[in-house]
Amino acid sequence: MTEARGPAGRGGETHGRRAPGTPCWVSLMVHGPAATQEFYGALFGWEFRPGPQQLGPYARALLDGREVAGIGRLPADRQLPIAWTPYLASDDVNRTAETVRLCGGTVGVGPLDAAEAGRMAICSDPSGAVFGVWQAAAHLGTAVTGEPGTPAWNELTTFETASVAKFYQTVFGFELEPSATAGLDHVTLRLDGRPVAGIHGTGDALARERGPHWTTYFEVADVERSLERLTGLGGHVLEPARDTPHGRVARVADPEGARFSLVRSP
């Protein structure tokens, strides 16, 4: 993980359309959205209001009235993982989807319109990791960053970074910054010199039954206190809190098994 902030910095609201490739939204599809909303509402202080219903019941999570994430019901006819999915900005989702296909990826859903909010697609990279593409209209994406309860970072865990990083570079125009640490297979994805996401290759250490996947990190004010709240709400601690160069981090899962990380940034 590498610390990164949205255009407005810590505690700031974000404005305007994001540059292509910028992580602009995170969304979770589950079997029981009502219970999941209750869990995240208690954990992060989110409130909810209805959003576009193109894939079924869907609600946007708000923090102090500002949109930060989405939670919906998993469509019965879609083979999608119960996982937080980052959406990367695009100026033309149809063209991005076609580039995904040409580069060896898969388009699983869309492209389709999400009412007046924008246009979307759900894709997977050549290794199988699922991500979304968002072409903003009325809905620009996450409206605030750097505060507790907001997405702080997205990291792809995969077998090896070289070919997968090249895929994302070709599709979204990222600049690639390989780690200078010997023996660490990590690439930071940058746009205009700013870190926006990361790719971590773990080789055979990656669980085959789970496969390559994206992880969203959510900012919290106190990791230990958040872990206590999470377990009391029925969540699970997968990796206890530890100090890293980028803050204190713990890996967790919600009651339906969707995995994410908590981070208290420096």
Side-chain angles (χ1 to χ4, degrees), residues 23-242:
C24 59
W25 188 246
V26 290
S27 188
L28 174 64
M29 308 299 282
V30 295
H31 296 295
T36 299
Q37 289 176 27
E38 184 176 348
F39 170 84
Y40 286 100
L43 181 63
F44 292 139
W46 291 349
E47 298 176 339
F48 295 88
R49 71 179 177 201
Q53 309 292 304
Q54 270 65 22
L55 296 180
Y58 188 81
R60 291 180 183 153
L62 283 72
L63 185 68
D64 298 327
R66 298 168 294 181
E67 296 175 343
V68 294
I71 294 176
R73 184 185 301 279
L74 191 68
D77 60 340
R78 304 282 188 180
Q79 296 300 314
L80 297 172
I82 298 177
W84 281 101
T85 301
Y87 280 72
L88 307 179
S90 170
D91 288 337
D92 186 334
V93 71
N94 289 54
R95 183 179 300 171
T96 300
E98 182 60 25
T99 306
V100 165
R101 294 189 185 98
L102 291 173
C103 293
T106 302
V107 179
V109 178
L112 56 84
D113 290 325
E116 76 288 347
R119 190 162 172 80
M120 60 162 286
I122 300 177
C123 308
S124 57
D125 66 29
S127 72
V130 176
F131 64 95
V133 180
W134 182 252
Q135 179 182 338
H139 175 63
L140 298 176
T142 302
V144 60
T145 63
E147 295 184 4
T150 64
W153 184 251
N154 291 284
E155 183 103 353
L156 170 61
T157 303
T158 189
F159 294 110
E160 54 81 28
T161 64
S163 61
V164 177
K166 185 66 176 177
F167 166 84
Y168 286 98
Q169 180 185 42
T170 303
V171 175
F172 294 105
F174 293 122
E175 305 143 17
L176 307 182
E177 182 187 23
S179 171
T181 303
L184 179 62
D185 186 16
H186 187 279
V187 173
T188 300
L189 304 179
R190 292 178 173 267
L191 289 172
D192 297 324
R194 182 173 61 92
V196 296
I199 303 177
H200 184 205
T202 61
D204 292 336
L206 181 62
R208 296 274 174 177
E209 64 273 12
R210 186 160 186 234
H213 58 276
W214 282 92
T215 299
T216 297
Y217 289 71
F218 290 96
E219 187 75 34
V220 294
D222 185 309
V223 173
E224 277 72 19
R225 187 170 297 174
S226 295
L227 291 177
E228 291 180 9
R229 186 178 302 130
L230 176 136
T231 54
L233 293 167
H236 308 281
V237 178
L238 304 178
E239 291 182 5
R242 61 188 177 90

